Each structure stands twice: as structure tokens, then as C-alpha cells.
Amino acid sequence: MLRLENVVKNFGGLQALSGVSFRVEAGSITGLIGPNGSGKSTCFNVITGFYEKDGGDIYFRDENLEGLKPFEIAQRGLSRTFQISQVPEKMTVFENLLLAPKGQTGEVITNVFFKAARIEEETREYLEKAKDILKLLKLYDLRNEYAGNLSGGQKKLLSLGRVLLTEPTLILLDEPTAGVNPTLINDIIRAVKRLRDEEGKTLLIVEHNMKVISEICDKVIVLDFGRKIAEGTPREVQNDEKVLEAYLAGSSKKWDV
């Protein structure tokens, strides 16, 4: 689904990514972890076109993403959330979701007059999809609430909902449980698992909560100082000496951080 080959990104004299290579298999949940400053967010920004890489290649479904802008990458089915969720706060939860579908017929002003029936049909379809997504994310009861009144965790779920309404093939989640209360973390875990198991989605997740990573991920990739130092199942990675040294500071507690 996604393939990075020797990807390099520099910021002046600092090499944030140094020849990073890995694959994300279709229908899997892959975790991307590492200590602060290891290059995780930079990697996400390079994959999604927010940063221009300085070397290497990135392939999504065997298409090289070289030179594509973020919106062009998203239109191909690769969508992401952000570490800090930004939502139009004076719009309701429902209205936030209905902003997301791409290529809506009603976006062209002349279609309002000449394709009214098609616009009405699309609206009904998007309303039903939005209802299903809100139920999946346990936000349906808040559908008429202003987005600005949501908690930080609920805003993260809303951001995920907007991504889902774009019908992506691959979803990149940037720290989906950071700053979220334990109850909502469990909701996020259940939602992510259902996306893989029932919807057939593929996910790449940056996450600091190692219990979450070990519970939901099929494979884990570990970065340190811009380099990949380990790759494998959660169990394999948690016993890797390089990971224990770099990420867990040699802690005997392993994932309990």
C-alpha cells in the first residue's frame, strides 16, 4: 500500500530523516514510534506532501508521489489527521463532517441550477454516511453540538470522522490518543480496529502510548535520530535491545511507559 525507499529530509545542517525505508501492507495497522525528535512527524509530513523530501522515493499503491501537493495526495486516497486537531468551532459536528467529501457536485455554482437533483441525491448519501461514521466514533449524540464545545479527545475523533468521509484507502493518524482521557482512548482503539477488520482500511499510526501500539498494531517501525533501528511485531520490537536503549532508556518495564 505504501513504500518508502531511502527517504532523506534535511533542515539546514540537521538530517531529520536519514535513508528511511519501510512498507505498510494493505489491510494492516502499522505503528511508527520513537523518542521525541526521532523523525516521526517529519516522516508523516514528507509522506503527505507538507514537506518536500531531499532524497529517496515514496510510493502509494505503486504510484510515485514525487512532486504532488498535499491535496493531490489526499485525492488519491491517502489522508491524515494532525497531532493538534483544528476544527471549525462555530459549525456543528454534523456540519464539520459534511465539509469533507471531495468533488461534490454542488461545489460548482452552475450545478446548483442545472444539476439540482444530483446535488440532492449526493446530500442524502453523505448524510447517511456521516450518521454511520458518527455512530462508529460514538459522536452521534453530539451531532448538533458546536465543534468548539467538544473536548480535545472528541475533536480528535471528529478529525478522524472527517478523514473517513473522504473515503481514504490509507489513513495516517498522528498521535490519536495524546491528551485523551482513558475512556475515549478505548473508543479510539475500538474504532481503529473496526476500520481495519470491518472496513478493510489500512492505517499508519504515530503514537507514544505503547499499550495502544501493542494492542492494535500488526507491525511496528522504530525511528531514532532519523534512522530506522527496528521493525517487527510489537512483541519482537519490545524485546529489541536497540529499542530498549534508544526508546525506553533500558527500562525493564518495557511497554509500561
Side-chain angles (χ1 to χ4, degrees):
M1 182 67 70
L2 179 71
R3 187 169 82 251
L4 276 67
E5 296 182 351
N6 298 311
V7 172
V8 175
K9 176 59 183 175
N10 301 314
F11 294 103
L14 173 66
Q15 193 164 61
L17 296 175
S18 181
V20 172
S21 300
F22 63 80
R23 297 183 179 215
V24 175
E25 302 298 332
S28 70
I29 300 175
T30 300
L32 183 63
I33 69 172
N36 290 331
S38 61
K40 305 182 299 299
S41 293
T42 298
C43 192
F44 260 36
N45 285 328
V46 168
I47 291 170
T48 53
F50 286 88
Y51 290 165
E52 184 177 347
K53 58 184 173 54
D54 296 305
D57 293 290
I58 301 173
Y59 296 90
F60 173 55
R61 295 196 292 188
D62 293 325
E63 178 186 2
N64 196 319
L65 300 182
E66 183 76 38
L68 294 182
K69 295 179 173 61
F71 78 90
E72 293 172 324
I73 293 172
Q75 287 174 342
R76 283 161 170 75
L78 195 164
S79 298
R80 66 169 294 181
T81 64
F82 291 84
Q83 200 173 112
I84 300 175
S85 298
Q86 300 287 341
V87 298
E89 297 192 346
K90 295 300 182 181
M91 299 182 73
T92 67
V93 168
F94 226 148
E95 290 167 342
N96 262 265
L97 256 66
L98 295 175
L99 284 174
K102 53 195 175 187
Q104 297 183 57
T105 304
E107 291 176 355
V108 179
I109 189 64
T110 54
N111 289 345
V112 174
F113 305 101
F114 300 108
K115 296 185 179 181
R118 176 57 187 156
I119 292 172
E120 185 176 349
E121 180 184 355
E122 274 187 4
T123 300
R124 286 196 299 268
E125 291 174 0
Y126 292 139
L127 282 170
E128 289 305 312
K129 288 179 181 178
K131 288 178 183 177
D132 290 341
I133 289 170
L134 290 175
K135 289 174 183 177
L136 168 68
L137 300 177
K138 294 192 174 182
L139 291 176
Y140 186 73
D141 290 342
L142 298 172
R143 61 191 181 280
N144 295 318
E145 184 69 61
Y146 285 119
N149 295 335
L150 300 182
S151 69
Q154 290 168 334
K155 287 179 181 178
K156 289 197 173 190
L157 286 169
L158 178 56
S159 294
L160 175 56
R162 285 207 309 264
V163 166
L164 292 176
L165 210 55
T166 69
E167 299 185 336
T169 307
L170 173 61
I171 303 169
L172 276 61
L173 301 180
D174 195 350
E175 297 197 23
T177 71
V180 178
N181 72 58
T183 300
L184 278 179
I185 287 177
N186 290 331
D187 289 343
I188 291 171
I189 289 173
R190 283 192 290 268
V192 168
K193 285 182 174 180
R194 285 184 60 184
L195 289 174
R196 176 193 60 191
D197 299 337
E198 299 178 20
E199 305 291 334
K201 300 297 185 184
T202 305
L203 299 102
L204 176 63
I205 301 176
V206 165
E207 181 57 63
H208 281 293
N209 188 323
M210 294 301 102
K211 289 182 179 179
V212 172
I213 287 290
S214 63
E215 185 170 344
I216 68 175
C217 290
D218 303 296
K219 181 174 72 173
V220 181
I221 297 152
V222 188
L223 299 181
D224 189 32
F225 291 107
R227 297 179 181 273
K228 185 180 77 174
I229 62 169
E231 180 176 347
T233 65
R235 181 176 293 275
E236 290 169 342
V237 166
Q238 73 172 334
N239 292 309
D240 189 288
E241 290 300 324
K242 290 181 180 178
V243 177
L244 293 175
E245 181 180 351
Y247 192 76
L248 304 178
S251 170
S252 61
K253 293 183 179 180
K254 297 183 179 178
W255 296 112
D256 296 328
V257 296

